[in-house]
Every structure is written in C-alpha cells, then in structure tokens.
C-alpha cells in the first residue's frame, strides 16, 4: 500500500467522466479508490465537484477534439463556481488522450491542472498534492516499470454490494502493433499483474457480493503473470484459481487476440464450469491481404480453424468479434472475403467500425485510403449481416432454459434483468429480492438487443 501524503479530513467532491472501454471504467473506479483517503468522495453532478477527472479514450474518431470541447465546458463551470464563492475546481485529464497528447493539452488548455496517463494513476494523491502546492501543472505520462496495480490501496474493492458483475483488470498494453491502432502507443507494452494481487482483489470482490468476474486486458489471453512460486501462470491457470474462490460463479474475459489462443484456453472452455460460453475474439477482416496489411499475424483460415477448435470443445459457445471496414487498400473483393468469413463463422454479436486514421499509426500514412462513401456502404452491409446473425442466434434460444444471473431491476415495475451465459441481457418478471441469484429462465421471445423470459426454477438448470 502507498504512503499517501498529508491527508485532510475536509470532505471534497470528485466527479470522474469516463469515455471508452471497460478498462477505462475499471481505471475510473480505481482513481476514486486512490483519492478516497484524501477525503474525495464521488458525486454525480459535475457542478458540485471540487475535482473533475476526464478519463479519456483515444480509439475512436475525433477523441482529442471531444476532450478540448469538454474542457471548455469545465472551464466555464469552474468560473461559475468561483463566482459563487466555491473553492477552485481541480481539472485533470487522464487516460489514453492524456498519454498521447501530454503537454499539448496544457499548451492548448492551460487551465488544466493535471495530465496523467493510464499507467500512473496510483500516484494521483501525490500529483494532487503537488498541483496544490505549486499551483502549476503536473504532467505524468511515463510508463513506469512497476505495475500500477501493485500500488493500489489493498482495500480497493470498488464494488458496492449491489454490484454483482464486476470487471477486474489483469493485463495491460499491447505489443502487436496493428497498423490502425493507437493502443501500443498509448497503453505501452504488454504487462501482466501477478496472480496473488489478482486473487486478493477477487476475494475482496467476492466478499462484497460479486458473483461474476470479467477479466480485462487489451490482450487478455496474452496474460502471463507470476504466481507465488515464481512460475508464470497463463489465463486458463488463472481462471482455474479464480473459479475456486467462494462466491465466484461466473468468469468471462475480454479482449482476446487470435495469436494468443492456446489449446489449454480452448480446453478450459470445456472443463471449467465457471468459464462462460462467450468468446470475444476480434478478427477485423476476412481478407488475407488486408489482415497482412493490418499486421494481424494470422490468416482468415487460421481464424476459422481456431473457432472450429473452440466449438469442438464447447459447441454452444457464442462468438463475438470486431470488424473494421475500409482499411487502406481494402477492395470490393477484400470486403466480400470479410462477408464470407462472417457467413462461415456465424456470430452471436459483433462490433463494426469504419476505418478512421489515427495520427502516428502506419495505416494513417498509407496510400489508397478508401473513400468515405464506400466505407459507409460497406458498414451498412456488414451491420445488416451481423444483425441477421444476432437475431438468428437469439431466436434459437427461444423455448430453451438458460441460467441467468439476476443483477438489477428492470425499467418496468416488477421486472428484473440479468445475463444469460451467452452474454445477452434477459428480462423476467420476478421479485426484487431475487437479484443476486442465478436462476433458470425459459426464453419466451427476443427483443432488439435482449431476451424476454419467464422464471422456471429458483436454482440453476443442470
Ligand atoms: N479505426 C476503426 N476502428 C478501430 N479500432 C481500433 N482502431 C481503429 C481505427 N483506427 C477498432 C478495432 C478494435 C476495436 C476496439 O476498435 O476493431 O478491435
Ligand atoms: Fe490494437 Fe491490435 Fe493491440 Fe488490439 S491487438 S490493442 S487492435 S494493436
């Protein structure tokens, strides 16, 4: 545990605005944890905040511009608060845009107090103290060798008792350098948290009522963390250890890379009951030419073969992916190859993106950028195909009984919502006190992005 600098007993309000992936959601909760000993407690309204952190994401288009426009709003809120006699609001920018833009943020928005990258938030208390002392800017965007996780407060259990399904980051960074992607530049090299610290956090979560863990990492199946004996544990070994924790009934992981799929991971889907039958394995394209240009390190047939092996181990596995249309050089024939791969595999869901250039990445400098109108047209086609496959996958569940972990109240009175093993939200009529249980639900019909069902048994089906 870190030694925090002089703490103050005066309570202060903290508001964290989170963009982007689940790893950012996890990081935001950890930022709240590290600032708690300094008297900061989370508030929902930015106008009431003594400190605001913008936890940014760089993966989507125009991320930087969005940050500057949000900062402009925060500046105005700070001025209004000062006019009303409140203390000066501390403004901090975190996450991948902070990492990528660093000093540029202070240059363009000099009223920002703190800029820190994804690897440094465990030093946040010290940064806050430094910013208060110096009245100047603090920029922390290096990649320290020590992993930030090892410095988080031991009691950092973000979960409230109602929070039954929680994220747990086990791995960060990426060495793959896909042509289009900023992650290797913003999140740094692949690194894995050690087994003991993950187990400690998971046990704490389980004590707080968590029943489902989603293990997070940019390349989560590249996980290789040190265990207590000084040996290296891989993802299936970690899953096995986590599944023995009392209270943890379900384990998921995301995002994985085809190159890091091992036979033991596939086998774990057959052998580990706690490992849910859902796999998010991005392929990005079905064309070998494009996959090569993307530097993905595998072919379309290799991907098909990996899926075949997963399905041999776990026939009901639901498969998800990410696709990019319009990568530089993508022809009509390449796009057709993507559609062919989608038809061959049959996805339960997928995220589809139009390629958009990220400054500093090789693809952004490539010749043969695809016309925006062509990208639009391809996106529509691929989305329609994925939609049809998603409807087919969900439709096939109608009439079947599935185990649902009930996690929260539905929008309508009397409704409770949970997730199927395959990841879809399932809505049933049930009393609120059943939240937290895993029950057997018969699926009645499909909704746009979820399933409607009825409670069959208050225990899990065999
Ligand atoms: N353009 C479009 N999509 C991108 N992704 C990452 N970088 C880009 C980009 N420059 C998508 C990939 C990745 C997902 C998280 O975001 O499909 O798997
Ligand atoms: Fe980005 Fe490729 Fe690494 Fe995924 S594997 S984070 S797409 S560079």
């Amino acid at each position: 545990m870190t030694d925090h600098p002089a703490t103050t007993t005066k309570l202060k309000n903290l508001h964290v605005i989170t963009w982007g992936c689940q790893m950012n959601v996890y990081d935001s909760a950890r930022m709240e944890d590290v600032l708690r000993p300094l008297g900061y407690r989370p508030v929902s309204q930015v106008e009431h905040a003594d400190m605001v952190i913008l936890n940014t994401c760089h993966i989507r288009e125009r991320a930087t511009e969005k940050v500057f426009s949000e900062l402009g709003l925060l500046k105005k809120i700070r001025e209004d608060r000062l006019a009303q006699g409140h203390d000066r609001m501390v403004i901090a920018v975190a996450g991948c845009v902070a990492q990528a833009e660093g000093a540029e943020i202070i240059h363009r928005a000099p009223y920002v107090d703190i800029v820190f990258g994804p690897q440094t938030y465990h030093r946040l208390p010290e940064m806050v103290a430094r910013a208060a002392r110096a009245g100047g800017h603090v920029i922390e965007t290096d990649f320290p060798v020590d992993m930030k996780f090892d410095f988080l407060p031991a009691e950092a259990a973000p979960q409230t008792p109602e929070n039954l399904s929680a994220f747990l980051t086990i791995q960060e960074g990426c060495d793959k350098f896909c042509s289009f992607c900023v992650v290797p530049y913003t999140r740094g090299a692949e690194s894995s948290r050690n087994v003991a610290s993950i187990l400690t956090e998971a046990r704490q979560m389980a004590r707080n009522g968590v029943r489902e863990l989603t293990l997070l990492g940019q390349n989560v199946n590249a996980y290789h963390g040190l265990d207590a004996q000084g040996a290296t544990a891989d993802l299936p070994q970690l899953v096995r250890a986590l599944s023995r924790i009392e209270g943890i009934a379900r384990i998921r992981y995301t995002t994985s890379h085809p190159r890091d799929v091992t036979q033991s991971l596939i086998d774990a889907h057959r052998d580990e009951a706690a490992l849910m039958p859902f796999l998010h394995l991005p392929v990005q394209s079905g064309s070998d030419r494009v996959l090569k240009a993307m530097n993905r390190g595998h072919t379309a047939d290799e991907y098909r073969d990996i899926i075949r092996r997963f399905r041999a181990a776990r026939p009901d596995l639901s498969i998800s992916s990410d696709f990019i249309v319009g990568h530089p050089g993508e022809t009509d024939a390449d796009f057709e190859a993507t559609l062919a791969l989608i038809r061959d595999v049959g996805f339960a869901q997928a995220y589809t993106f139009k390629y958009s250039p990220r400054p500093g990445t090789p693809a952004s400098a490539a010749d043969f950028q695809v016309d925006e109108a062509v990208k639009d047209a391809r996106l529509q086609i691929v989305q329609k195909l994925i939609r049809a496959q998603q409807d087919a996958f969900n439709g096939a569940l109608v009439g079947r009984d599935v185990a649902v972990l009930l996690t929260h109240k539905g929008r309508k009175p009397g409704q409770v919502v949970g997730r199927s093993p395959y990841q879809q939200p399932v809505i049933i009529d049930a009393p609120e006190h059943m939240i937290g249980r895993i029950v057997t639900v018969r699926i009645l019909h499909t909704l746009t992005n979820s399933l409607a069902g009825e409670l069959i048994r208050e225990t899990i089906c065999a």
Side-chain angles (χ1 to χ4, degrees), residues 174 176-178 180-181 183-184 218-219 257 284 296:
C174 180
K176 305 274 188 311
F177 291 91
C178 296
F180 50 83
C181 184
V183 166
Q218 260 96 28
N219 270 266
H257 194 291
Q284 315 293 356
R296 292 287 295 174

Side-chain angles (χ1 to χ4, degrees), residues 134-188:
H137 307 301
V138 176
I139 307 182
E140 291 254 358
T141 50
D142 53 340
F143 288 116
V145 260
D146 46 34
M147 273 204 86
K148 65 188 181 192
F149 304 114
D150 302 334
F151 290 85
L152 294 176
E155 72 276 20
Q159 314 309 326
T160 59
E162 313 80 75
N163 201 346
L164 291 148
S165 177
F167 297 121
L168 176 51
T169 296
I170 64 165
Q171 181 278 340
E172 277 215 81
C174 180
D175 302 330
K176 305 274 188 311
F177 291 91
C178 296
S179 60
F180 50 83
C181 184
V182 284
V183 166
Y185 310 97
T186 57
R187 291 265 173 176

Side-chain angles (χ1 to χ4, degrees), residues 21 58-61 179-183 255 280 282-284 294 296 321-325 327 351-358 361 363:
C21 64
H58 204 254
I59 213 153
R60 298 279 175 275
E61 238 169 325
S179 60
F180 50 83
C181 184
V182 284
V183 166
T255 280
H280 181 66
V283 62
Q284 315 293 356
M294 286 177 164
R296 292 287 295 174
S321 180
D322 293 341
F323 291 95
I324 297 177
V325 298
H327 184 272
Y351 301 93
T352 47
F353 307 98
K354 272 194 298 182
Y355 168 74
S356 78
R358 291 285 93 91
T361 57

Side-chain angles (χ1 to χ4, degrees), residues 207-219:
R207 276 196 291 275
N208 286 2
V210 169
R211 306 221 54 202
E212 176 175 84
L213 285 177
T214 301
L215 310 178
L216 297 179
Q218 260 96 28
N219 270 266

